């Protein structure tokens, strides 16, 4: 197979790779950068907001605007973006070691979205450390909790993932209840930042 482009003739696979290889690499890197930015600036804040909405729903204080609350003030958005960035970066770096350390670290940071709202005076590194401290000794319990949803996910997959949209709120609410239980045990039920 030969291709003539701008007066030059390219033939064979190695010549085509020489021509299109840098373009494919540039496209891949650009796509990864855009996906990371969307995750940091849009998806993480929405996820944090949704999880805190579920937490407030447990105590009948929910308001649909809570999902988008961090977009109202620049300081809140910056704090959520930085906290999400550090969490994702650390989990990614641990995942490079092997898959298991990344999974363990993600369970260590399970309560980060809730603590970001509950502890407004802490910086991102302190929030990560507090989440790690709160999940000390219960990571296996959290893993077993996630395993209990396996059949629900399987049912969602059988319905071409349509069922997953109905299962996800139940799982998010369970996570919120779990956080509230651990928080009450950790602080003894009282804390100055809680309503």
């Amino acid at each position: 197979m030969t291709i003539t482009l701008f007066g030059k003739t390219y033939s064979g696979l190695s010549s085509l790779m020489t021509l299109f290889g840098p373009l494919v690499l540039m496209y891949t890197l650009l796509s990864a950068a855009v996906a990371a930015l969307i995750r940091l600036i849009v998806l993480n804040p929405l996820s944090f907001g949704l999880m805190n909405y579920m937490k407030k729903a447990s105590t009948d204080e929910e308001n649909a605007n809570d999902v988008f609350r961090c977009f109202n003030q620049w300081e809140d958005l910056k704090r959520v973006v930085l906290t999400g960035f550090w969490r994702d970066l650390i989990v990614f770096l641990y995942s490079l070691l092997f898959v298991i350390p990344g999974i363990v670290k993600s369970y260590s940071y399970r309560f980060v979205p809730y603590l970001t709202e509950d502890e407004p005076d802490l910086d991102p590194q302190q929030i990560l450390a507090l989440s790690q401290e709160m999940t000390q000794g219960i990571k296996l319990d959290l893993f077993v909790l996630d395993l209990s949803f396996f059949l629900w996910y399987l049912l969602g997959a059988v319905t071409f993932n349509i069922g997953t949209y109905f299962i996800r709120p139940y799982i998010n609410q369970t996570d919120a209840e779990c956080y509230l239980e651990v928080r009450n045990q950790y602080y003894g039920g009282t804390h100055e930042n809680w309503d």
Side-chain angles (χ1 to χ4, degrees), residues 151-172:
L151 291 176
W152 288 107
Y153 278 117
L154 192 61
L155 180 65
V158 167
T159 61
F160 303 103
N161 280 338
I162 295 171
T164 307
Y165 295 109
F166 298 100
I167 297 164
R168 207 57 223 163
Y170 173 66
I171 294 170
N172 288 342

Side-chain angles (χ1 to χ4, degrees), residues 2-16:
T2 39
I3 295 178
T4 303
L5 191 63
F6 302 115
K8 258 183 130 176
T9 303
Y10 298 93
S11 64
L13 186 59
S14 63
S15 296
L16 290 176

Side-chain angles (χ1 to χ4, degrees), residues 91 94-95 97-106:
V91 168
Y94 270 83
S95 296
L97 297 172
F98 286 109
V99 175
I100 303 297
I103 292 171
V104 171
K105 191 52 83 170
S106 70

Side-chain angles (χ1 to χ4, degrees), residues 142-157:
L142 293 172
F143 178 71
V144 170
L145 177 66
D146 286 346
L147 279 181
S148 71
F149 298 122
F150 175 74
L151 291 176
W152 288 107
Y153 278 117
L154 192 61
L155 180 65

Side-chain angles (χ1 to χ4, degrees), residues 13-182:
L13 186 59
S14 63
S15 296
L16 290 176
M17 288 304 292
T18 303
L19 175 65
F20 294 113
L23 291 174
V24 170
L25 179 64
M26 186 174 68
Y27 174 76
T28 303
L29 292 176
L30 185 63
S31 298
V34 168
L37 280 175
I38 289 173
R39 178 176 172 89
L40 283 175
I41 298 172
V42 178
L43 297 180
N44 273 349
L46 284 175
S47 171
F48 280 38
L50 178 66
M51 296 181 94
N52 281 298
Y53 170 82
M54 292 294 189
K55 178 188 70 176
K56 289 182 179 180
S58 299
T59 57
D60 294 328
E61 302 170 6
E62 83 276 4
N63 182 350
N65 293 331
D66 288 338
V67 175
F68 306 101
R69 190 176 65 80
C70 69
F71 291 105
N72 293 338
Q73 291 186 345
W74 169 248
E75 289 300 317
D76 289 341
L77 180 62
K78 184 172 82 169
R79 187 164 176 265
V80 166
V81 166
L82 282 174
T83 305
F85 169 76
W86 284 114
R87 178 195 65 180
D88 293 347
L89 179 67
I90 293 170
V91 168
F92 172 73
L93 292 175
Y94 270 83
S95 296
L96 289 177
L97 297 172
F98 286 109
V99 175
I100 303 297
I103 292 171
V104 171
K105 191 52 83 170
S106 70
Y107 279 102
S108 294
Y109 296 151
R110 178 78 163 250
F111 299 144
V112 166
Y114 306 109
L115 291 170
T116 303
E117 182 176 301
D118 284 351
E119 301 290 346
D121 299 331
L122 298 181
D123 65 20
Q125 297 299 328
Q126 291 171 322
I127 290 171
L128 295 175
L130 181 58
S131 177
Q132 197 165 359
E133 191 175 323
M134 288 176 75
T135 57
Q136 189 70 31
I138 64 166
K139 290 183 206 69
L140 183 60
D141 296 333
L142 293 172
F143 178 71
V144 170
L145 177 66
D146 286 346
L147 279 181
S148 71
F149 298 122
F150 175 74
L151 291 176
W152 288 107
Y153 278 117
L154 192 61
L155 180 65
V158 167
T159 61
F160 303 103
N161 280 338
I162 295 171
T164 307
Y165 295 109
F166 298 100
I167 297 164
R168 207 57 223 163
Y170 173 66
I171 294 170
N172 288 342
Q173 191 63 46
T174 304
D175 280 345
E177 293 287 344
C178 179
Y179 166 72
L180 289 172
E181 182 68 29
V182 171

